[in-house]
Structure formats: C-alpha cells, structure tokens
C-alpha cells in the first residue's frame, strides 16, 4: 500500500490522492512513467521528484521518513512494507505518573518471538532489543507507553510508530484496548476483567510478598496485550484496504495466535479481586 500512497507528499490530501487514483495512477512508478494526469505540468514535475525521494527512502528502509509525513490515521500504511520490521509492544507500570512510577514488566512480540522483561531482572535488555526493529506498534503508545519508556530509561525513541488507538477509532472502534477487543469478539478467558489497575496489584503481590504466581499472572496479562495487538493490526490494515478496494490491494491473512508462555493463577487473581472489592467497600 505504501507504494500506492501519495498523501505523504506536500499539498496532497485525501481528496487529491483519490483524484490521482481516479486517473488510474495506482502506484509511484505509474505516475512517473505517464504524464496524462489532470495535474498541471508543474505539479506533475514536483510530485514525480518527491516520489523518487520516497522510492529511495524505501530502499533505505527508512520507516521514520514516511512516519513523519503520514497523518496519524494513515500510518497503518507503513505495516505492509515494514511488517517484518515491526514490534508489538506493551508495558505495565506501578502507577500512571512517569515522574513517580516505574515500569514493572514489558512484553513484545514480532510475529515470531515473544519476549518479556521484568524490573530488577532483565529490563535493561529491552532498550537494546527494540533497536532491532523500525516500527513500534502499540495501543495508546504515543500518549503513554513510549513517553513512559523514554522517561524511565532516559532515552529518545526515534522509531516510527503505529498507534492502534487512532487507527481503530477511524474505523469506528473506540474506547480502551479491552473495549476494542470485546467489540471484535476477542475473549480474555481467565484474564477477563483484569486491567491496568489490577496489574499494579499483581506486581505488588509479587514484589512485596514474593508470590511468583502473581508475576506469572502479570506476565500472562502483559503478553496477552502485546499478542492481541497483532490481530488488531491485521484487522485494521485489512479493513482500511477494503475501503480502498478499487486499488486491488492484497489483504493479509491474520496469523494464528501464538501460545502464551505463562498462565494466570486463579487463586492469586481471586485473592486480589477480593482485596480490591473489600477496599472499594471500605471506601464506600
């Protein structure tokens, strides 16, 4: 899809891009080879020059070049060309304020390998590992995950990003990650009802009480977040292609969900749920 994209070029919006497609120019090469568009000679020359730059940047695998030029709701287009260089990412923290809170665990998935990182164990390895990829795929990562990571590790992340919060919202799926999953029929099974607040309690149960099963449950939850992003990304990509079906773009087959290497412990989950219910009752 990226090779059929013109909206990243200065002066071209959705309407003008569709007009170019309407002239049967369905890709960068076709518009360079022909000159019978409705564009003026000056505009045609400018666009052709910019396309040559785009082709060069794609050859260099420079995802950030396109990321900086594409509107947020159109950044899904990066996935087709950079699918093999994308990383699904989700973090858990012990609070929402990056000034006073820490990252407790991180889960990543690249479509092949699941990795997890735990505070006071191997968390520093995460910083090195993400530089094996060019695109980070998150849900609300632009507002939360990425700024939190930058603050916590004192680094600057210069990756291209696809934030599914904006992509799914443009398709009519709004709310948090769990809400979007529910709307699309994704079940969390034993982890149904577990959220970010619950995850904090899981970490505290592990950190202060040495409950390994609490950490296993937290990692199961964290990894499920990262893994489910893959389904959502493929769904969003294919759905956006359907809206442009006249371009004859090839949709991707949604991959089979991988086996998550951790299982939630129901005894621990019920213990924390009871504790949270009691706290809410006492507050009331």
């Amino acid at each position: 899809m990226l090779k059929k994209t013109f909206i990243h070029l200065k002066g071209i919006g959705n309407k003008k891009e569709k007009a170019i497609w309407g002239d049967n120019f369905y890709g960068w090469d076709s518009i360079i080879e022909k000159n019978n568009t409705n564009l003026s000679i000056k505009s045609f020359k400018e666009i052709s020059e910019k396309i040559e730059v785009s082709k060069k940047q794609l050859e260099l695998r420079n995802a950030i070049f396109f990321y900086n030029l594409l509107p947020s709701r159109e950044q899904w287009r990066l996935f087709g060309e950079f699918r093999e260089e994308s990383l699904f990412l989700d973090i858990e923290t012990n609070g929402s304020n990056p000034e006073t809170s820490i990252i407790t665990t991180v889960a990543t998935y690249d479509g092949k390998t699941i990795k997890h990182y735990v505070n006071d164990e191997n968390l520093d390895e995460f910083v090195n590992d993400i530089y094996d990829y060019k695109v980070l795929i998150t849900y609300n990562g632009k507002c939360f995950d990425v700024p939190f990571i930058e603050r916590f590790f004192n680094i600057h992340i210069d990756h291209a990003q696809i934030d599914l919060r904006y992509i799914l919202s443009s398709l009519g799926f709004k709310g948090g990650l769990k809400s979007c999953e529910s709307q699309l029929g994704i079940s969390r099974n034993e982890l149904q009802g577990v959220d970010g607040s619950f995850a904090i309690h899981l970490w505290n149960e592990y950190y202060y009480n040495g409950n390994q099963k609490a950490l296993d449950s937290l990692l199961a939850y964290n990894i499920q977040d990262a893994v489910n992003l893959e389904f959502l990304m493929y769904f969003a990509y294919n759905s956006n292609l359907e809206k442009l079906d006249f371009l004859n773009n090839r949709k991707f087959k949604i991959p089979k969900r991988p086996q998550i290497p951790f299982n939630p412990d129901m005894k621990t989950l019920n213990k924390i749920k009871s504790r949270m219910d009691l706290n809410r009752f006492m507050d009331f």
Side-chain angles (χ1 to χ4, degrees):
M1 179 61 207
L2 195 58
K3 293 179 181 178
K4 299 178 180 180
T5 291
F6 301 96
I7 200 171
H8 68 296
L9 305 179
K10 186 177 181 180
I12 296 183
N14 290 98
K15 186 176 180 179
K16 198 165 188 178
E17 183 181 55
K18 288 180 179 179
I20 293 173
W21 289 334
D23 284 338
N24 296 318
F25 292 94
Y26 294 141
W28 294 343
D29 289 334
S30 63
I31 201 170
I32 291 174
E33 292 167 359
K34 302 175 184 180
N35 61 2
N36 60 336
T37 70
N38 291 322
L39 297 170
S40 67
I41 294 176
K42 180 181 178 183
S43 295
F44 180 82
K45 183 175 182 297
E46 290 177 351
I47 289 175
S48 297
E49 290 173 351
K50 292 173 182 176
I51 288 173
E52 289 294 352
V53 174
S54 296
K55 290 174 67 176
K56 181 63 176 177
Q57 293 301 317
L58 186 55
E59 286 178 16
L60 295 172
R61 310 304 298 163
N62 188 2
I64 197 70
F65 170 81
F66 299 99
Y67 169 72
N68 287 332
L69 296 174
L70 286 168
S72 293
R73 291 187 175 184
E74 301 296 338
Q75 287 166 351
W76 62 270
R77 302 187 190 199
L78 287 167
F79 187 63
E81 289 292 336
F82 292 96
R83 184 169 50 142
E84 300 298 324
E85 298 155 277
S86 295
L87 185 69
F88 302 99
L89 163 69
D90 184 75
I91 71 170
E92 299 301 331
T93 68
N94 69 346
S96 59
N97 186 350
E99 299 284 343
T100 57
S101 305
I102 64 168
I103 294 176
T104 56
T105 64
V106 178
T108 65
Y109 181 54
D110 63 3
K112 298 175 183 177
T113 303
I114 292 172
K115 290 187 178 182
H116 65 277
Y117 309 85
V118 180
N119 196 303
D120 282 341
E121 290 186 16
N122 66 337
L123 198 56
D124 288 341
E125 295 176 13
F126 162 73
V127 178
N128 294 324
D129 289 349
I130 60 171
Y131 288 100
D132 292 334
Y133 302 90
K134 296 183 180 296
V135 180
L136 301 180
I137 301 176
T138 64
Y139 190 95
N140 199 36
K142 288 183 180 179
C143 293
F144 184 74
D145 299 69
V146 171
F148 210 113
I149 290 168
E150 290 181 322
R151 176 77 181 182
F152 183 79
F153 290 105
N154 193 27
I155 61 172
H156 172 64
I157 291 179
D158 56 0
H159 293 64
Q161 298 178 51
I162 300 177
D163 191 330
L164 287 168
R165 173 187 172 187
Y166 302 101
I167 310 300
L168 289 170
S169 177
S170 70
L171 293 170
F173 298 92
K174 300 182 180 181
L177 174 61
K178 313 303 182 298
S179 174
C180 290
E181 290 176 357
S182 178
Q183 292 171 64
L184 291 169
I186 299 175
S187 174
R188 287 262 170 168
N189 299 320
E190 297 96 330
L191 289 168
Q192 197 72 31
V194 176
D195 57 14
S197 177
F198 200 109
I200 294 174
H201 288 275
L202 283 171
W203 173 258
N204 290 339
E205 174 68 16
Y206 159 71
Y207 188 77
Y208 294 108
N209 299 327
N211 185 347
Q212 182 63 40
K213 291 181 178 180
L215 178 60
D216 291 348
S217 300
L218 174 59
L219 289 171
Y221 167 76
N222 191 186
I223 291 171
Q224 192 172 79
D225 278 356
V227 165
N228 285 355
L229 290 175
E230 180 184 48
F231 174 90
L232 296 175
M233 181 70 252
Y234 275 84
F235 171 81
Y237 186 85
N238 289 340
S239 296
N240 275 295
L241 286 185
E242 285 180 2
K243 292 165 64 176
L244 305 173
D245 59 352
F246 64 92
L247 293 179
N248 297 316
N249 286 296
R250 181 176 61 88
K251 294 197 293 184
F252 289 130
K253 180 180 179 180
I254 298 178
K256 183 179 179 181
R257 191 171 184 270
Q259 183 69 36
I260 294 177
F262 294 93
N263 294 311
D265 179 65
M266 294 309 299
K267 183 178 179 180
T268 299
L269 294 180
N270 290 332
K271 173 184 175 182
I272 291 175
K273 184 177 185 302
S274 297
R275 186 187 301 161
M276 292 175 68
D277 289 343
L278 179 61
N279 288 339
R280 280 194 288 266
F281 176 77
M282 292 179 67
D283 289 341
F284 179 78

